Amino acid sequence: MTQNEQDSDNFETRAIHAGQEPDPENGAVMTPVYLTSTFKQDAPAVPRQGYEYSRTSNPTRTALEENVASLEGGAWGLCFASGLSATNALLASFEPGDHIIAGNDLYGGTHRIFRQVYERYGIEFSFVDARDTEKIAEAIRPETKCVYLETPSNPLLRLTDLSATIALAKDAGKMVVVDNTFATPYLQNPLALGADVVLHSMTKYLAGHSDVIAGCLIGNDPALRDRYAFFLNSCGGGLDPFSSFLVMRGTKTLAVRMDRHCENARAIAAYLESHDAVARVHYPGLESHPQHELCQKQMRQAGGMVSVELVGGLEAGESFSTKTRLFTLAESLGGVESLIEVPPTMTHASIPAEDRRAAGMADGLVRLSVGIEHVDDLIEDINQAL
Ligand SMILES: *Cc1c(COP(=O)(O)O)cnc(C)c1O
């Protein structure tokens, strides 16, 4: 392995090589799973290679951290036991009285940790329609410390104009955090546009096989890394070695998986749009989508998630979600297998109904995580269920 291969301009090469070198002693090509809680020191407080205790750091986790940092174009990465554990380290670094602006269409668990956990510690949140850059600008106060964006958003696949929002936040001296879970670093790189921190639920596309829960924070500023590493070490929640290995196995194939996820989702969105039982399709890759132009500017492809409102509303949505055979009724997303769910009663049930409706989420909304099965089989499955 040369430095060149790890630093390649090409995503596919970095996905397979960054952070990972054959073992210098025995030649093992894959990074071992270092199942150890502690590390022998050469003298008191003189650890080898900086490793002391696996809550703080572990070589398998380090390999993954270097890998995902490289994929997002960041100087550092920190890996956590879940996406929300990464969100937790981020939020723990704010002070009572600090204010955070977020989009009003967010992953339900993110909304819950904001409102039901951190509001109790005196952090204030404003939720705005993040499609509208003006609305974000208007919400900025002197106490605002952070603009927290999710684009495409979950579950409505709305986009925030990253360049415009980052520019206005920087002008006002505010940090910007982007949850890049839906896009993945293969489709969109917020750090390159000036974001301070990127967050992932690596449970989803980065791991990609629905077999592990994991999250990360990635950035460039070493002071931010130190701050989040302090909370990771002080509060726990670092990713364990075996899960680190599983995510690293996933990132190697991210590019080829995403190409197929996107291709299948595009075909399914177009099919749904033409179906009589369908009232509305949310997919930014469709020409009819109001933010299609922004999607083309900001994302390499439109992603693998599609949301749909049926003519028959909630009842039709619930019935549809139980009649598919290949699309499994389950929460989560981003795995190779297709999943279907009803956000208002499943992933987003922790958001009060009036907040959901105000944000534009229909009660009968159905969300599809389009997998990489053969697209003909997926469309046939949707057709029979509708
Ligand atoms: C799943 C998800 C999270 C939370 O991640 P976990 O790994 O489940 O803790 C955060 N943001 C988005 C967009 C998600 O889909």
Side-chain angles (χ1 to χ4, degrees):
M1 176 71 38
T2 67
Q3 202 53 34
N4 267 351
E5 285 162 310
Q6 296 202 27
D7 291 347
S8 167
D9 287 340
N10 298 312
F11 185 94
E12 293 82 349
T13 305
R14 283 181 286 129
I16 291 166
H17 294 289
Q20 298 163 72
E21 284 182 68
D23 189 286
E25 274 160 35
N26 61 30
V29 171
M30 289 302 129
T31 304
V33 182
Y34 286 94
L35 288 175
T36 185
S37 58
T38 191
F39 299 82
K40 177 180 188 292
Q41 305 200 5
D42 291 330
V46 184
R48 288 184 200 172
Q49 298 180 2
Y51 294 108
E52 294 169 354
Y53 187 60
S54 283
R55 170 165 30 76
T56 319
S57 60
N58 174 285
T60 317
R61 195 203 298 165
T62 303
L64 174 63
E65 289 174 340
E66 289 177 7
N67 183 252
V68 292
S70 167
L71 296 187
E72 281 290 4
W76 55 263
L78 288 170
C79 292
F80 294 84
S82 67
L84 279 174
S85 183
T87 315
N88 187 48
L90 178 88
L91 293 174
S93 71
F94 293 107
E95 304 287 332
D98 286 352
H99 173 242
I100 295 175
I101 299 168
N104 62 4
D105 183 38
L106 279 179
Y107 172 64
T110 305
H111 189 274
R112 181 175 55 204
I113 193 174
F114 284 2
R115 300 291 315 272
Q116 296 184 45
V117 181
Y118 277 91
E119 237 171 46
R120 294 169 50 233
Y121 296 102
I123 296 179
E124 292 177 35
F125 297 90
S126 295
F127 297 92
V128 302
D129 183 345
R131 285 172 299 183
D132 185 346
T133 315
E134 276 298 304
K135 294 249 166 64
I136 297 172
E138 283 164 15
I140 293 180
R141 307 179 198 159
E143 326 74 85
T144 304
K145 287 285 151 59
C146 173
V147 178
Y148 186 100
L149 304 169
E150 199 182 289
T151 178
S153 67
N154 181 359
L156 290 170
L157 287 312
R158 290 173 173 171
L159 306 186
T160 299
D161 186 330
L162 284 174
S163 299
T165 307
I166 290 166
L168 81 87
K170 297 283 117 168
D171 269 358
K174 315 300 183 189
M175 80 179 293
V176 177
V177 176
V178 179
D179 180 336
N180 207 28
T181 299
F182 269 36
T184 82
Y186 185 58
L187 303 182
Q188 171 175 285
N189 303 111
L191 296 178
L193 301 173
D196 298 283
V197 176
V198 163
L199 181 147
H200 280 281
S201 169
M202 302 195 293
T203 310
K204 316 296 168 52
Y205 290 108
L206 292 190
H209 295 74
S210 305
D211 53 8
V212 61
I213 300 284
C216 67
L217 297 174
I218 301 164
N220 281 309
D221 180 353
L224 285 178
R225 184 205 179 273
D226 290 349
R227 202 148 100 191
Y228 305 137
F230 171 80
F231 287 106
L232 188 156
N233 189 40
S234 304
C235 308
L239 191 63
D240 71 274
F242 187 64
S243 299
S244 299
F245 169 84
L246 285 176
V247 178
M248 207 149 38
R249 165 188 264 231
T251 59
K252 289 178 198 295
T253 56
L254 182 64
V256 288
R257 283 187 287 110
M258 287 315 290
D259 281 337
R260 184 59 63 84
H261 281 296
C262 292
E263 189 185 320
N264 286 358
R266 204 160 44 231
I268 284 171
Y271 173 76
L272 285 167
E273 196 174 38
S274 70
H275 200 289
D276 290 344
V278 172
R280 196 159 166 211
V281 180
H282 301 273
Y283 186 67
L286 288 174
E287 269 174 41
S288 58
H289 189 279
Q291 294 180 297
H292 182 61
E293 211 173 300
L294 176 59
C295 176
Q296 287 186 308
K297 181 184 128 197
Q298 169 166 303
M299 300 177 70
R300 293 182 192 94
Q301 300 178 66
M305 300 298 296
V306 179
S307 289
V308 60
E309 291 166 32
L310 300 184
V311 174
L314 177 61
E315 212 175 305
E318 289 194 328
S319 155
F320 175 47
S321 70
T322 55
K323 288 197 175 121
T324 50
R325 295 175 192 138
L326 284 174
F327 282 86
T328 303
L329 178 61
E331 299 192 358
S332 198
L333 61 110
V336 290
E337 64 289 302
S338 294
L339 300 179
I340 187 167
E341 68 121 1
V342 184
T345 52
M346 294 174 66
T347 48
H348 291 66
S350 62
I351 303 176
E354 61 272 22
D355 291 2
R356 283 200 309 263
R357 292 184 193 126
M361 199 192 307
D363 288 341
L365 187 78
V366 175
R367 191 188 75 180
L368 303 174
S369 173
V370 178
I372 63 172
E373 300 94 337
H374 198 290
V375 71
D376 292 350
D377 294 333
L378 295 178
I379 288 178
E380 193 181 303
D381 187 32
I382 288 172
N383 189 35
Q384 66 78 25
L386 282 174

